[in-house]
Amino acid sequence: MTPAQRTLVIFGASGDLTARLLLPGVGQLLESPRGGDIQLLGVGDRPMSDDEWRQRVSDSFAAGGATGEWVPALLSATRYLQADVTKADDLRRVFAACDGLPALYFALPPAVTIAVCTALRSVQIPEGTVLALEKPFGTDLVTARELNRQLATLLPENQIHRVDHFLGKSTVLNLLGLRFANRIFEPLWNGQNIERVEIVFEEKLGLEGRAGYYDKAGALVDMIQSHLLLVLALVTIEPPSSIEPDDLRGAIAQALRATRVRGDDPSEASRRARYTRGSIDDREFVDYVEEPGVDPARGTETLAEVTLSVDNWRWAGVPFVLRSGKALSGVRKDIVITFKDVPHLPYGFEGGSGAERLRISLSPDELELEININGEGDPFVLDRVVLSTTFGAGELGPYGEVLAGILAGDPTLSVRGDAVEECWRIVEPVLTAWRAGEVPLDEYPAGSNGPAGWGTVRDVGAGEEGR
Ligand code: BG6
């Protein structure tokens, strides 16, 4: 075998994330014209034969649609190494097994990731190594800072890739094109013209056997602290000079630094709830607290909503509502920009349904702009119409896209250390208020739209059609 340029080393190779998301992403990338020649090394603390590992890789590649002629060669070359990567000697064995420049992918729980970073300090890290770390990045602001501090002693920042697969979603990236490659949006993209912004990620999926992780995270940390705050950052950033890593990541960090809980009052600006038994599409759900592995004493929420403000000239006064939940009646994955009403509708017009709305849907990938036009029949009666288009699907899925950056050593789509800390800083007051019991933990039946009253108390423009 010719030495591969990169060796992708997966720590946590026997885990669920590796099989479900990471390996299919690797397969997609290698299948695409952007894939290159890599060596793949699985590392885990459990015993697994090379053949078992190969089967796992092969199954995940097939699930991701990777069936090219290159697959058998990669499968016969890939190996599994049993190792305790919290030990320096085992890490040396891992580096010795790499033919190419190592890309160490940590598909590990945060506490183990921290232990591995500590062990890496006593190991000679080969030049050109990059690290890729899965979320959650730390478990709060203090641990995230500590992890960043440790990482900074190991490698330069641009060789550290904090992975957030939302940054690899083609629609999230399309936000940049939509905003900065068109003249019509940017002049209106501010608090003078925009009434409110809603970023919603509602799923029909429940816990799906992930209690070990999810019950300690909850909807706020699982979705809002990471993914949705990055989406908010891309909605609110100032136009960067380029989409090179320094410009783009600098703009993202700047937007996050301006973001805080609206009114600095989490008891007013946040809500939480968890699901109780119900059914969705003929699937029965038990109470969240009855799910195997859930500790009811933790009071974990499965639906979270936070209203934020972005305190700068452009966004002063605009509420940004971020909401995410599981086991809901429908899938809604949207960014909704609601514009302000016109300052004066000429007397004589009738009808119309208020201000324009731009809806960017993350799934399916589409865009809708609702506007008022003179309707059929009486020309002075206004009608609401929707202009819509679909976003082209990226050639790679989100994991493939993010992995492409990692293997190419390009940190554009990786989250910079300061941005991660900002995300924790933003949600910290909410977590504190929730722990202190200042915000009630509501309930909603699985398969409903959320707790009774949530839709109307602070309705943020979901509208019936959106639910
Ligand atoms: C993950 C969360 O990061 O993102 C899950 O842990 C969530 O709880 C998922 O379901 C949603 O992202 P996607 O891209 O799979 O829809």
Side-chain angles (χ1 to χ4, degrees), residues 56 82 116 147 172 181 236 242 257 273 297 328 343 354 357 373 407 418:
R56 207 174 152 78
Q82 188 184 353
V116 180
L147 186 48
V172 173
T236 56
S242 77
R257 276 200 298 278
L328 290 157
R357 223 152 40 183
I373 59 161
L407 294 175
D418 55 341

Side-chain angles (χ1 to χ4, degrees), residues 135 165-166 169 201 203 210 213 222-223 227 326 333:
K135 81 167 184 127
H165 76 283
F166 268 51
K169 282 186 189 278
F201 203 91
E203 302 176 280
R210 296 167 73 217
Y213 152 73
D222 180 47
M223 290 298 300
H227 306 314
K326 291 198 182 284
K333 302 177 177 178

Side-chain angles (χ1 to χ4, degrees), residues 242-438:
S242 77
I243 46 170
E244 297 295 313
D246 284 351
D247 281 341
L248 186 61
R249 302 196 314 162
I252 288 175
Q254 191 185 18
L256 291 170
R257 276 200 298 278
T259 304
R260 53 172 32 78
V261 171
R262 193 162 163 83
D264 284 328
D265 184 357
S267 54
E268 261 302 301
S270 71
R271 302 194 278 194
R272 58 177 176 151
R274 71 181 166 201
Y275 66 81
T276 55
R277 59 196 293 250
S279 65
I280 303 174
D281 299 340
D282 298 332
R283 197 175 153 201
E284 296 300 322
F285 284 68
V286 295
D287 286 346
Y288 174 77
V289 292
E290 301 286 318
E291 297 265 19
V294 167
D295 177 358
R298 284 203 185 98
T300 302
E301 80 290 353
T302 57
L303 172 62
E305 184 189 284
V306 187
T307 306
L308 302 170
S309 55
V310 178
D311 289 345
N312 57 27
W313 192 307
R314 183 191 281 263
W315 293 114
V318 179
F320 288 81
V321 182
L322 274 51
R323 176 158 63 196
S324 184
K326 291 198 182 284
L328 290 157
S329 62
V331 175
R332 182 179 167 217
K333 302 177 177 178
D334 281 342
I335 305 162
V336 182
I337 317 277
T338 302
F339 290 88
K340 291 193 164 155
D341 267 333
V342 290
H344 172 72
L345 182 66
Y347 300 122
F349 273 124
E350 284 174 40
S353 332
E356 304 95 278
R357 223 152 40 183
L358 176 67
R359 192 173 74 85
I360 299 160
S361 161
L362 302 181
S363 174
D365 294 350
E366 62 188 24
L367 175 137
E368 287 182 355
L369 179 63
E370 292 175 30
I371 56 169
N372 302 311
I373 59 161
N374 296 21
E376 284 180 47
D378 183 341
F380 298 108
V381 176
L382 296 170
D383 274 352
R384 191 79 163 169
V385 292
V386 181
L387 310 179
S388 60
T389 187
T390 49
F391 288 116
E395 68 183 340
L396 299 176
Y399 264 87
E401 195 62 59
V402 167
L403 274 161
I406 294 168
L407 294 175
D410 174 354
T412 309
L413 299 186
S414 301
V415 187
R416 211 169 65 182
D418 55 341
V420 169
E421 291 181 21
E422 288 303 324
C423 291
W424 279 115
R425 196 247 331 132
I426 294 163
V427 301
E428 200 108 291
V430 180
L431 289 169
T432 306
W434 289 7
R435 273 188 218 115
E438 287 168 22

Side-chain angles (χ1 to χ4, degrees), residues 48-236:
M48 195 190 312
S49 69
D50 281 343
D51 281 345
E52 281 171 288
W53 164 245
R54 286 180 182 128
Q55 189 58 51
R56 207 174 152 78
V57 177
S58 161
D59 291 347
S60 295
F61 279 7
T67 50
E69 286 172 0
W70 55 274
V71 174
L74 183 133
L75 286 180
S76 76
T78 188
R79 290 178 48 206
Y80 178 80
L81 228 147
Q82 188 184 353
D84 176 355
V85 286
T86 63
K87 304 233 160 62
D89 279 343
D90 283 24
L91 283 169
R92 287 189 194 101
R93 275 203 300 131
V94 169
F95 283 130
C98 293
D99 293 334
L101 291 176
L104 306 184
Y105 198 108
F106 292 61
L108 296 171
V112 186
T113 294
I114 292 175
V116 180
C117 290
T118 309
L120 273 170
R121 291 169 75 171
S122 33
V123 175
Q124 178 74 37
I125 302 177
E127 207 171 315
T129 297
V130 296
L131 307 183
L133 294 101
E134 266 293 334
K135 81 167 184 127
F137 191 84
T139 47
D140 55 18
L141 180 56
V142 172
T143 49
R145 265 193 197 138
E146 173 54 22
L147 186 48
N148 275 339
R149 205 187 51 74
Q150 284 213 25
L151 288 167
T153 65
L154 300 176
L155 288 174
E157 174 64 30
N158 62 7
Q159 286 170 243
I160 298 165
H161 298 261
R162 293 170 198 78
V163 173
D164 190 300
H165 76 283
F166 268 51
L167 285 186
K169 282 186 189 278
S170 58
T171 310
V172 173
L173 294 172
N174 257 313
L175 267 172
L176 298 175
L178 182 75
R179 281 191 59 191
F180 304 131
N182 295 292
R183 189 142 190 156
I184 59 168
F185 293 116
E186 207 45 30
L188 300 179
W189 212 256
N190 53 47
Q192 265 128 44
N193 298 293
I194 289 177
E195 180 74 34
R196 61 181 179 264
V197 176
E198 209 192 338
I199 302 173
V200 175
F201 203 91
E202 295 181 344
E203 302 176 280
K204 287 187 187 173
L205 294 176
L207 195 55
E208 315 302 323
R210 296 167 73 217
Y213 152 73
Y214 190 89
D215 197 43
K216 294 196 195 88
L220 180 68
V221 166
D222 180 47
M223 290 298 300
I224 295 181
Q225 182 272 335
S226 48
H227 306 314
L228 299 194
L229 279 175
L230 289 176
V231 175
L232 171 134
L234 291 177
V235 170
T236 56

